[in-house]
Amino acid sequence: MNNDATKTAWVDPDDAPELDDAWFEKADHHRGETLVRRGRPKGADKVSTTIRFDADVLAAFKQDGAGWQTRMNQALRDWLARKSAA
């Protein structure tokens, strides 16, 4: 395997470029070994909207951490399925 593309022109660590805010904004983010993609996935049919929820309802979904919007979306889908079946 040829690693010429990943070799740097400098050897002394003091010659390394400064890692500024612009560099970090473009950097990949990992959660453990998993690459975390930013932004909406390609082909997603989500629609941005503004909606108000009671504070306790929102807190209940957020208490389990990341993914609360996906869980809330699934809860609404489940409700729609039950409503359609009735």
Side-chain angles (χ1 to χ4, degrees), residues 7-42:
K7 290 185 180 177
T8 59
W10 50 268
V11 177
D12 185 352
D14 292 335
D15 292 338
E18 183 178 343
L19 303 181
D20 57 8
D21 289 340
W23 185 89
F24 281 102
E25 287 174 11
K26 294 188 295 185
D28 290 336
H29 296 273
H30 288 82
R31 189 170 287 138
E33 295 293 319
T34 304
L35 175 63
V36 178
R37 300 278 181 197
R38 289 182 274 173
R40 191 174 325 133
K42 292 180 182 177

Side-chain angles (χ1 to χ4, degrees), residues 36-83:
V36 178
R37 300 278 181 197
R38 289 182 274 173
R40 191 174 325 133
K42 292 180 182 177
D45 58 350
K46 303 280 183 177
V47 176
S48 179
T49 188
T50 300
I51 188 169
R52 294 179 182 272
F53 293 102
D54 291 336
D56 60 329
V57 171
L58 195 56
F61 278 94
K62 286 184 171 184
Q63 77 181 0
D64 292 331
W68 67 269
Q69 290 170 315
T70 301
R71 289 189 299 275
M72 185 174 274
N73 192 66
Q74 187 59 50
L76 290 168
R77 283 190 178 283
D78 293 346
W79 179 83
L80 283 172
R82 285 192 311 274
K83 182 181 178 212

